[in-house]
Amino acid sequence: MTTSRFSQWSALSPWSIISFSLGTIKAMLSNGYALIPVVYTGWQKGFDSPWIIVAIVAVILLTLSFAITQWLKYRYRLHDGKLGINQGLVFKRTHEIPLNRIQNVRLEQPLYFRPMGLYSLVVETAGSKKDEAVLAAVNYRQALQLKQRLFEQKQQPASAVDGSDIESPTSQHNQQTPVVQKSVKDLILFGLYQNNLIWFSVISGSILGQLDWESSQFSPLLLQLQAWYDQVAAISILGQVAITLVGLIIIYLLLSLISITAAILKYHPYQLSLKQQTVHRTGGIIAKQNDALGLPRVQLLRFHQPLIGRLLKLWTVSFKQVQGNEIEQVNQRHMLIPSMSRDQIDTLLPRLSGLCAQAKSLPKQYQSIDIGWFWRRMWLPPVIVLVNMLGIGINPVTEVMATVAALFVLGLYLRYRQWGFLLQGDDCWIHSGMLSQNWNLVALRKVQHVEISQTKGQRKKQLATITLGLASGEQTIPYIPLADARYIAERALYLTKQDHNNWI
């Protein structure tokens, strides 16, 4: 076999029709247009009418026909350092993706491809808001060949592409160096502290709304609980507080069930490996994934610790890429490492030699922003409450307003206390949060533009707000000494002047 293995236009496997069909169904469900004839027929004729069957069959046949057409007209090739894609029957589209623009290459194995041992290879480019190319139903050997070819910036020698040096699953594992592995316990803790309470509330709210609460309040179990509460807990304030705290913990644990289940199904068995300057993340029970990300392309390293994470002393590490090009596009999440302790982070950072940032450990302190940021924002709510109290007196409405204002000022103060920065060589750490905390690691050589602004009050105190523009988005540090802001800006501009290729 020669180096031109992928240089000719190639078709996908017929099994890709499954992927195209499911993609079409997903698009129809999102838009809802294709369901109109089915719903209309069922509404007019009754859902037991034979016409509803005809409408469903028609939708299935149209979906299958469209998927087959997509498969027949889909062609790809690697030629002159570009990935070419041709697709479409009536509206033909041609993509020419330079290899040096490719940001991520990942392998996915959906549940429906697992019996055949097939994968989908997904290609993402810098700045793209959706997947640039999806090569569905590719066998493992071919997927590894394509992944190896696509992710390299330079042309490989013939042996790397001619099939004689292709990695098997075993050899690939041996050539990659595992740097992080997470057990089921780690993923359970990740789901616990990275809990999405909103989604569970929406789901559980619709279910609880169907229950007959009027009849259930007379159930023997509830009556026994009420009697026990009146005899044991209600007799003291301490007992009431304890019962309330236990109830809140139980509710939180119940709300965490979906997050914990999703974390296990999505990431187990989690492994992050390093090969040269590329990190590979593998895992997934329902849909196996194999993501690859070049460390020199990482724009920002983010360390996030929610409130529960602070109690557990665990962090989530995220590799932030070019904005609009997240690996987990649906959830707008970046490649992440769950349930990391501070010691594990300090062990990991020195091993990520491909990062532009040179930091070797997570900081323990930072320089706070000036308290002027807090004073400028805190005065308005108390003034509004005071004016209302002077005008209409103290009543339940003004008491509620005062409580809200006090909580607002407290939250603002906590945010001020958490906001700060730390300079380490050519790296800038930015700390933020309120009840949670975040560390953002910015390599100044990645900065694309810098903005320094001053209000009238800031000029008097020789303070400034600096905004660092990265390909992943802007990072702002307000109310810092003007001298520090100028130093950060000048250092960033000097580094990018020397080598602006680090931007992307």
Side-chain angles (χ1 to χ4, degrees), residues 2-3 5-6 144-149 152 154-167:
T2 66
T3 57
R5 169 176 173 78
F6 296 113
L144 288 179
Q145 285 181 294
L146 286 167
K147 181 181 176 183
Q148 180 180 359
R149 226 16 213 106
E152 293 184 350
K154 299 179 180 180
Q155 293 292 333
Q156 294 179 339
S159 62
V161 223
D162 64 3
S164 61
D165 190 31
I166 297 305
E167 301 166 301

Side-chain angles (χ1 to χ4, degrees), residues 179-180 274 295 301-303 317 319 337 340 342-355 357-363 424 427 429 441:
V179 291
V180 177
L274 182 64
L295 289 176
L301 208 56
R302 185 170 186 260
F303 304 84
V317 182
F319 299 89
I337 311 175
M340 293 289 286
R342 179 177 287 272
D343 291 340
Q344 290 172 336
I345 292 173
D346 294 346
T347 302
L348 172 67
L349 284 177
R351 305 184 69 178
L352 302 179
S353 57
L355 286 173
Q358 302 299 313
K360 302 303 180 185
S361 62
L362 193 64
Q424 286 184 341
D427 299 333
W429 289 90
L441 175 57

Side-chain angles (χ1 to χ4, degrees), residues 212-266:
D212 187 0
W213 291 101
E214 293 184 1
S215 59
S216 63
Q217 65 180 338
F218 298 107
S219 66
L221 178 60
L222 289 179
L223 291 176
Q224 291 178 7
L225 289 175
Q226 181 66 38
W228 176 85
Y229 177 81
D230 293 337
Q231 295 175 4
V232 178
I235 58 177
S236 67
I237 297 179
L238 184 61
Q240 295 178 31
V241 172
I243 291 296
T244 302
L245 290 177
V246 171
L248 290 176
I249 292 173
I250 293 175
I251 291 173
Y252 183 86
L253 292 176
L254 291 175
L255 295 178
S256 301
L257 289 178
I258 287 183
S259 296
I260 292 172
T261 304
I264 295 174
L265 293 178
K266 186 173 183 63

Side-chain angles (χ1 to χ4, degrees), residues 20 36 63 113 139 183 215 270 277 340 350 373 419 497:
F20 285 127
I36 292 177
T63 300
F113 277 163
N139 64 56
S183 64
S215 59
Y270 183 99
Q277 292 187 339
M340 293 289 286
W373 181 90
W419 212 334
K497 179 181 178 181

Side-chain angles (χ1 to χ4, degrees), residues 108-407:
E108 295 180 349
Q109 190 181 44
L111 191 61
Y112 50 84
F113 277 163
R114 192 169 299 180
M116 290 84 71
L118 300 176
Y119 289 78
S120 290
L121 187 140
V122 183
V123 178
E124 298 169 339
T125 59
S128 174
K129 293 185 178 180
K130 60 179 181 179
D131 300 333
E132 288 284 357
V134 179
L135 307 182
V138 183
N139 64 56
Y140 190 78
R141 180 184 178 86
Q142 187 179 13
L144 288 179
Q145 285 181 294
L146 286 167
K147 181 181 176 183
Q148 180 180 359
R149 226 16 213 106
L150 289 171
F151 211 77
E152 293 184 350
Q153 298 299 312
K154 299 179 180 180
Q155 293 292 333
Q156 294 179 339
S159 62
V161 223
D162 64 3
S164 61
D165 190 31
I166 297 305
E167 301 166 301
S168 66
T170 303
S171 65
Q172 185 199 34
H173 177 78
N174 291 335
Q175 292 184 19
Q176 295 178 4
T177 304
V179 291
V180 177
Q181 292 178 320
K182 292 299 176 183
S183 64
V184 174
K185 177 183 176 182
D186 295 324
L187 296 178
I188 290 175
L189 292 175
F190 174 66
L192 181 64
Y193 75 78
Q194 204 76 22
N195 193 347
N196 192 336
L197 301 178
I198 297 177
W199 279 110
F200 190 91
S201 301
V202 171
I203 296 172
S204 60
S206 59
I207 297 175
L208 294 175
Q210 305 301 317
L211 299 179
D212 187 0
W213 291 101
E214 293 184 1
S215 59
S216 63
Q217 65 180 338
F218 298 107
S219 66
L221 178 60
L222 289 179
L223 291 176
Q224 291 178 7
L225 289 175
Q226 181 66 38
W228 176 85
Y229 177 81
D230 293 337
Q231 295 175 4
V232 178
I235 58 177
S236 67
I237 297 179
L238 184 61
Q240 295 178 31
V241 172
I243 291 296
T244 302
L245 290 177
V246 171
L248 290 176
I249 292 173
I250 293 175
I251 291 173
Y252 183 86
L253 292 176
L254 291 175
L255 295 178
S256 301
L257 289 178
I258 287 183
S259 296
I260 292 172
T261 304
I264 295 174
L265 293 178
K266 186 173 183 63
Y267 295 113
H268 182 73
Y270 183 99
Q271 177 172 290
L272 192 78
S273 302
L274 182 64
K275 181 180 178 182
Q276 296 178 347
Q277 292 187 339
T278 304
V279 287
H280 300 262
R281 187 197 68 185
T282 57
I285 295 179
I286 295 180
K288 293 184 178 180
Q289 295 188 32
N290 187 330
D291 300 331
L293 173 64
L295 289 176
R297 300 174 184 269
V298 174
Q299 301 295 308
L300 182 77
L301 208 56
R302 185 170 186 260
F303 304 84
H304 176 56
Q305 192 178 51
L307 178 59
I308 303 299
R310 297 187 74 171
L311 298 177
L312 298 173
K313 297 183 179 180
L314 294 175
W315 300 75
T316 299
V317 182
S318 300
F319 299 89
K320 297 196 69 174
Q321 306 151 58
V322 176
Q323 195 170 28
N325 187 51
E326 296 80 3
I327 284 181
E328 300 169 18
Q329 190 60 242
V330 176
N331 298 321
Q332 294 294 300
R333 294 178 179 266
H334 307 269
M335 182 184 283
L336 57 81
I337 311 175
S339 299
M340 293 289 286
S341 67
R342 179 177 287 272
D343 291 340
Q344 290 172 336
I345 292 173
D346 294 346
T347 302
L348 172 67
L349 284 177
R351 305 184 69 178
L352 302 179
S353 57
L355 286 173
C356 284
Q358 302 299 313
K360 302 303 180 185
S361 62
L362 193 64
K364 296 182 180 180
Q365 57 186 3
Y366 53 89
Q367 180 178 340
S368 299
I369 63 173
D370 189 82
I371 197 171
W373 181 90
F374 170 73
W375 292 124
R376 185 176 182 182
R377 289 161 176 78
M378 62 79 58
W379 62 270
L380 185 58
V383 168
I384 294 175
V385 173
L386 182 60
V387 169
N388 280 274
M389 285 184 173
L390 293 176
I392 61 177
I394 299 176
N395 55 48
V397 175
T398 54
E399 289 177 352
V400 170
M401 293 177 62
T403 303
V404 172
L407 292 175

Side-chain angles (χ1 to χ4, degrees), residues 376-480:
R376 185 176 182 182
R377 289 161 176 78
M378 62 79 58
W379 62 270
L380 185 58
V383 168
I384 294 175
V385 173
L386 182 60
V387 169
N388 280 274
M389 285 184 173
L390 293 176
I392 61 177
I394 299 176
N395 55 48
V397 175
T398 54
E399 289 177 352
V400 170
M401 293 177 62
T403 303
V404 172
L407 292 175
F408 175 82
V409 172
L410 176 61
L412 201 66
Y413 180 76
L414 292 176
R415 189 182 180 195
Y416 149 71
R417 292 288 298 172
Q418 293 269 32
W419 212 334
F421 70 101
L422 176 66
L423 293 176
Q424 286 184 341
D426 294 336
D427 299 333
C428 180
W429 289 90
I430 303 175
H431 189 273
S432 61
M434 191 164 62
L435 297 178
S436 62
Q437 65 172 330
N438 305 297
W439 277 108
N440 288 344
L441 175 57
V442 179
L444 295 181
R445 63 183 72 248
K446 285 286 187 180
V447 173
Q448 295 187 355
H449 69 267
V450 181
E451 177 184 345
I452 297 178
S453 60
Q454 288 182 295
T455 63
K456 186 177 181 180
Q458 286 178 326
R459 283 196 295 271
K460 291 181 179 179
K461 300 178 64 176
Q462 289 295 296
L463 299 173
T465 296
I466 184 170
T467 301
L468 304 175
L470 305 168
S472 59
E474 294 184 341
Q475 298 292 315
T476 300
I477 318 175
Y479 281 78
I480 67 173

